[in-house]
Amino acid sequence: MSLCKRRGFIFQASEIYGGINGFWDYGPLGAQLKKNLRDAWWQDMILNPCWGRKGPDGERVTCVPVETCIIQNPKVWEASGHVGGFNDPMVDDRETKGRYRYDHVMVYVPESGDAGDKPVFAYVGDQPSEAKQKKKAEKTFGAIKSVPLSSLARPWDRVIGPDAEKPGTLTEPRMFNLMFDTIPGAIRDEANKAYLRPETAQGVFVQFKNVVDTTRVRIPFGIGNTGRSFRNEVTPRNFTFRSREFEQAELEFFCHPSESVAWYKFWRDFRMEWWKSLGLAGENLILREHDKDELSHYSQGTSDVEYRFPFTAPGFGELEGIAHRGDYDLTQHQKHSKIKLDYFDTTRGEVLPNGGKKGERYMPHCIEPAAGLDRGALALICEGYTKDESRPSPEFLKLHPRIAPIKAAVFPLVDKDGMPEIAEKLADGLFKRFGHSGFIETDPKQSIGKRYARMDEAGCPYCFTVDGQTKEDQTVTVRDRDTGKQDRMNIDKVEAFMAEKLGG
Ligand code: ATP
């Protein structure tokens, strides 16, 4: 977090006013890093989906984008189930006014399980309450174990809330709607209440018909979009991991029901590979298939791509969910809007005497890879964060060149002897070719070691240095951030070298 602040990746929102819980801003380097992640998603999911790979139907995968509003007709959220059901049951503490997610509250009880008349101590994992309550419980019982609050018989008369002093102050679990509401228009009337979207997906479902009617897309195809979503998370925490305003990148992929499981597996596997391609490889990344009892009633499968964040370790936190949503969403919107949203597929049905097909009408099934760009950016920063006391910058960021906000640095070794002019020319070429994807840093000042150290900390993958030899043989040095190793390279080769490294 301190590196993120110091180098302008992530700042607290409204910091000069003391911040606001659950909201984060991106500084210059963070904004570009996140844009690179969003662009990589857009490139590999919309423009050239799955790197040009064929889908399970043997054809190139087709996807198109949309951009939909944060505020929609509130009926959208009734149809989707968010108004009625986008809830996490919560327990409140009457003494401290604390509010906790019911499924997160645990209690310490004696190892034998029987606390008799004594209090049992509730806590929330990873919060200060955990250690504090553990200490008290051990003092009271000696050997203890931890069980979910939900496993205790109610009322919870003997439970001491995570931050409370007296027992019996926790309320029954209650639903708490996570959607922010607002009132568009001049008349502040509850009847006009609308919501800030809690996910971008519904904007896609409600435009499904318009896209089919106006675009030459045929099933199977996907509609993708990126954008801000809002959830009034009760306990925003772990830096940007759980925020109240965040950005999603979601694809809704529509297919014939009989092919939906094959597409689900295809997307699940591709999404895992995609995160790996950006540098989240190894033991820190897992694909976790949900158990049957974790699935929504309409789903035939859900997997999460999970990353071992420093604050979840040894456990993992969700980066992206890939869900088989069946025909749930389109069916719901058809029911609530009374507009037909089914699809007429001319490639299916009986073969007619003229050799054509009779066609088949059906409600498409949907596979949804739903990624979080803030969690993605955070995972890339955590993965790249490397400590090495032996280097001039003891902390540095091994960011994949495709994601790195600074693509390259061009330095004259000293600010004289014609070196700045050559460096400027080289930088000009790099700006023209790669300036759309990140910064090209030029800095003639300070010792070269200090300049390298600054670049390492910002995650810049390559530094090119013009030195005394450059004038003689037209070579520059290229320094690799991860190894610190330097090679000489012909100045004319620099652009091709960068193009290869940034290829992605
Ligand atoms: P969680 O269980 O962690 O609350 P979720 O399963 O509700 O997440 P989804 O509804 O599947 O999340 O949303 C898709 C993606 O959006 C998540 O994988 C995550 O990357 C991102 N996301 C969801 N909630 C938040 C949040 N509060 N802050 C940042 N990113 C989020």
Side-chain angles (χ1 to χ4, degrees):
M1 284 176 81
S2 101
L3 177 71
C4 282
K5 165 88 198 279
R6 184 156 46 81
R7 293 310 309 268
F9 281 93
I10 303 175
F11 304 134
Q12 224 184 344
S14 317
E15 191 186 288
I16 60 168
Y17 291 102
I20 169 166
N21 196 10
F23 296 88
W24 299 92
D25 289 341
Y26 288 83
L29 293 184
Q32 185 60 43
L33 181 147
K34 211 175 122 186
K35 180 176 185 299
N36 290 345
L37 180 61
R38 186 188 306 114
D39 288 351
W41 185 92
W42 194 272
Q43 177 67 32
D44 299 344
M45 295 294 279
I46 308 282
L47 299 179
N48 182 25
C50 313
W51 306 319
R53 225 175 249 184
K54 305 269 191 302
D57 58 348
E59 303 287 333
R60 182 180 266 278
V61 181
T62 306
C63 294
V64 291
V66 291
E67 187 176 311
T68 64
C69 283
I70 286 170
I71 295 179
Q72 300 278 343
N73 187 312
K75 290 192 182 128
V76 169
W77 309 111
E78 283 164 30
S80 68
H82 286 86
V83 171
F86 194 72
N87 293 315
D88 284 319
M90 309 298 300
V91 288
D92 288 328
D93 192 316
R94 283 182 287 257
E95 179 192 323
T96 64
K97 308 290 175 236
R99 173 172 276 172
Y100 314 95
R101 243 173 89 165
Y102 180 40
D103 60 342
H104 286 177
V105 184
M106 305 289 293
V107 285
Y108 287 119
V109 295
E111 205 169 49
S112 65
D114 183 12
D117 297 339
K118 296 208 173 119
V120 295
F121 297 87
Y123 71 95
V124 176
D126 301 336
Q127 298 281 300
S129 60
E130 184 172 357
K132 187 194 74 186
Q133 297 289 74
K134 187 168 184 211
K135 222 162 137 191
K136 288 189 185 167
E138 279 169 347
K139 212 165 147 199
T140 313
F141 301 119
I144 53 170
K145 67 178 180 187
S146 157
V147 298
L149 176 66
S150 57
S151 67
L152 297 191
R154 282 183 236 157
W156 299 317
D157 289 345
R158 282 197 290 278
V159 177
I160 301 189
D163 303 294
E165 296 297 326
K166 293 191 303 244
T169 57
L170 289 183
T171 65
E172 288 287 296
R174 292 189 281 222
M175 292 310 219
F176 179 85
N177 197 306
L178 287 173
M179 281 198 293
F180 283 100
D181 55 38
T182 182
I183 299 179
I187 309 202
R188 293 204 64 80
D189 182 341
E190 270 291 295
N192 296 334
K193 190 160 89 179
Y195 301 94
L196 305 191
R197 67 179 173 202
E199 61 173 38
T200 61
Q202 298 304 323
V204 170
F205 293 122
V206 300
Q207 291 298 359
F208 172 74
K209 186 173 156 48
N210 271 338
V211 173
V212 170
D213 290 349
T214 58
T215 321
R216 290 175 57 94
V217 282
R218 293 290 161 253
I219 274 181
F221 74 95
I223 308 178
N225 72 159
T226 66
R228 298 284 174 136
S229 292
F230 301 80
R231 295 184 190 173
N232 198 0
E233 298 280 2
V234 180
T235 41
R237 58 185 166 141
N238 293 335
F239 205 12
T240 58
F241 180 83
R242 189 169 301 287
S243 318
R244 290 182 168 142
E245 174 173 350
F246 55 95
E247 188 172 350
Q248 294 184 302
E250 297 193 286
L251 181 79
E252 311 305 317
F253 192 85
F254 301 97
C255 59
H256 189 269
S258 68
E259 293 177 351
S260 60
V261 172
W263 278 107
Y264 162 66
K265 292 185 177 152
F266 173 83
W267 281 111
R268 177 195 65 189
D269 296 344
F270 175 68
R271 294 307 299 156
M272 181 70 179
E273 243 188 276
W274 188 79
W275 285 109
K276 278 190 191 162
S277 80
L278 299 180
L280 298 184
E283 286 177 357
N284 287 340
L285 196 72
I286 56 164
L287 186 70
R288 188 179 70 83
E289 188 95 34
H290 286 206
D291 296 333
K292 280 257 157 358
D293 57 355
E294 272 182 278
L295 295 178
S296 333
H297 61 280
Y298 50 79
S299 181
Q300 295 184 45
T302 296
S303 313
D304 291 340
V305 177
E306 298 186 338
Y307 180 72
R308 180 154 42 197
F309 289 93
F311 46 78
T312 57
F316 292 79
E318 177 183 330
L319 260 192
E320 166 158 355
I322 301 101
H324 183 308
R325 299 183 64 97
D327 61 5
Y328 176 77
D329 303 272
L330 288 179
T331 305
Q332 283 296 103
H333 286 300
Q334 172 165 290
K335 201 164 104 195
H336 284 250
S337 67
K338 306 199 173 53
I339 303 283
K340 278 201 111 23
L341 297 177
D342 57 0
Y343 177 83
F344 186 68
D345 192 334
T346 53
T347 66
R348 291 176 186 271
E350 280 167 46
V351 181
L352 300 172
N354 68 3
K357 297 262 178 77
K358 188 165 174 224
E360 181 188 335
R361 190 167 281 287
Y362 58 88
M363 198 53 109
H365 275 201
C366 178
I367 312 302
E368 176 192 79
L373 293 181
D374 306 274
R375 286 192 190 173
L378 185 59
L380 291 166
I381 291 173
C382 291
E383 181 75 15
Y385 181 82
T386 312
K387 270 191 144 162
D388 182 349
E389 297 295 339
S390 71
R391 295 175 51 128
S393 70
E395 295 173 316
F396 70 108
L397 283 182
K398 285 189 185 176
L399 296 173
H400 191 286
R402 203 176 170 201
I403 297 301
I406 304 178
K407 297 297 178 205
V410 182
F411 297 142
L413 182 63
V414 288
D415 199 10
K416 55 182 184 189
D417 301 338
M419 292 182 209
E421 291 74 15
I422 302 175
E424 202 177 304
K425 197 163 157 240
L426 176 59
D428 275 350
L430 293 177
F431 264 111
K432 274 201 198 96
R433 246 184 103 183
F434 307 108
H436 63 279
S437 61
F439 302 103
I440 308 295
E441 189 85 7
T442 52
D443 181 1
K445 301 266 155 37
Q446 286 196 318
S447 79
I448 192 74
K450 279 209 179 115
R451 283 182 275 169
Y452 287 153
R454 270 187 70 72
M455 287 301 100
D456 287 351
E457 243 186 18
C460 168
Y462 300 103
C463 296
F464 300 96
T465 302
V466 173
D467 58 15
Q469 202 179 315
T470 307
K471 258 199 189 151
E472 288 161 27
D473 64 3
Q474 281 73 53
T475 61
V476 291
T477 63
V478 49
R479 175 178 174 282
D480 182 288
R481 171 199 64 204
D482 299 347
T483 60
K485 222 172 118 264
Q486 297 188 36
D487 287 318
R488 291 205 82 85
M489 169 183 295
N490 194 296
I491 202 162
D492 297 337
K493 297 264 158 57
V494 171
E495 282 188 25
F497 172 87
M498 283 303 294
E500 192 205 316
K501 297 294 181 189
L502 296 179

